[in-house]
Amino acid sequence: MDGLELLKKNWKSQEATLPQVSYDEIYNMIWKRSSSIVKWIFIISICEFLIGVLFNLVAADEEYWNSLEQLDLKEITMWVYGINYLITIYFMFKFYMNYRKINSTSSAKKLMQDIMRTRKTVKSYILYVLIGTAVTALAYAYLIIYHHIEDAQVADSSAYVFDALDWLKFTGIIVVALGAFIGILWLFYRLIYGILLKRLKKNYTQLENLDCD
């Protein structure tokens, strides 16, 4: 049993031997704990963004960009990076605003609304990362194959052409590999953000019980 549960049990008790704990003291503990959780969500999102930018800077050397240019993917890759950075910064801003709102909350009802809003924002962010990764990977796979087929046909009209079975095999490999990667990515986000979301959900439930008591 954590400190908050002990306070709630103490607050409900009518025994004269136990010191009385006020509603405000219990609410303040939930509020401080919720504020700390949302602050960590914001901090983690910043660290994740900076690590991603650093990785792209290290990986994206001259050879990397030259290979993309040969595949006619350099320009679209720059657009993908730019759009992804903008959307990620937008979510970071939302996390920060959620933290500011919870920090200035003055009632249990408002705190419950802020908790639900934060949980919804985090879930939307995770959904964006998973769907965005899947769509981008599929688009790149299609463009790379299309580029190779086009080059082969220009070089020799009788050169390598995918038949239906080839496409089926290729699609199966891509789907399995992408599914495994998305699954690992989902587990990663579930580990990082899932723990914090569960704690926020617990705080929400405790506020509901506190408000009803």
Side-chain angles (χ1 to χ4, degrees), residues 15-144:
E15 294 181 15
T17 57
L18 292 176
Q20 296 300 303
V21 181
S22 69
Y23 173 98
D24 287 340
E25 288 178 299
I26 298 176
Y27 165 77
N28 284 334
M29 178 174 284
I30 300 176
W31 168 66
K32 288 178 181 179
R33 193 163 67 180
S34 299
S35 177
S36 176
I37 292 171
V38 178
K39 180 178 71 175
W40 273 108
I41 289 174
F42 174 58
I43 291 173
I44 290 172
S45 70
I46 293 177
C47 293
E48 183 185 349
F49 175 76
L50 293 177
I51 291 172
V53 171
L54 182 61
F55 176 80
N56 287 334
L57 289 175
V58 172
D61 55 11
E62 186 176 353
E63 182 180 351
Y64 170 78
W65 288 112
N66 287 339
S67 63
L68 287 177
E69 192 167 9
Q70 291 174 3
L71 295 170
D72 295 327
L73 293 175
K74 182 177 179 179
E75 186 175 347
I76 191 173
T77 299
M78 294 174 69
W79 276 101
V80 168
Y81 281 176
I83 292 172
N84 181 61
Y85 287 154
L86 287 175
I87 295 177
T88 303
I89 290 172
Y90 164 77
F91 275 108
M92 288 166 56
F93 174 75
K94 293 282 288 183
F95 293 151
Y96 173 72
M97 292 306 297
N98 287 337
Y99 171 66
R100 286 282 302 273
K101 287 176 181 177
I102 282 187
N103 248 7
S104 60
T105 295
S106 58
S107 69
K109 183 178 180 180
K110 184 67 169 58
L111 179 56
M112 289 170 68
Q113 292 173 348
D114 291 337
I115 288 175
M116 290 303 295
R117 184 184 298 109
T118 300
R119 284 173 52 84
K120 184 178 179 180
T121 304
V122 174
K123 289 180 179 180
S124 297
Y125 171 66
I126 295 174
L127 192 62
Y128 157 71
V129 172
L130 297 179
I131 294 178
T133 300
V135 171
T136 302
L138 290 173
Y140 269 73
Y142 170 78
L143 290 172
I144 290 172

Side-chain angles (χ1 to χ4, degrees), residues 119 122-123 126 130 182-198:
R119 284 173 52 84
V122 174
K123 289 180 179 180
I126 295 174
L130 297 179
I182 294 297
I184 293 172
L185 195 61
W186 178 79
L187 288 174
F188 171 76
Y189 278 103
R190 184 175 177 82
L191 176 64
I192 292 181
Y193 291 104
I195 295 173
L196 298 175
L197 289 182
K198 284 182 179 179

Side-chain angles (χ1 to χ4, degrees), residues 160-211:
Y160 176 74
V161 178
F162 271 26
D163 59 21
L165 183 59
D166 290 329
W167 278 112
L168 185 61
K169 290 179 180 178
F170 176 75
T171 303
I173 293 172
I174 292 296
V175 169
V176 171
L178 183 58
F181 179 75
I182 294 297
I184 293 172
L185 195 61
W186 178 79
L187 288 174
F188 171 76
Y189 278 103
R190 184 175 177 82
L191 176 64
I192 292 181
Y193 291 104
I195 295 173
L196 298 175
L197 289 182
K198 284 182 179 179
R199 291 176 180 174
L200 278 179
K201 181 65 181 299
K202 182 179 179 181
N203 289 356
Y204 182 91
T205 302
Q206 290 174 335
L207 282 169
E208 276 187 320
N209 295 334
L210 183 64
D211 203 41

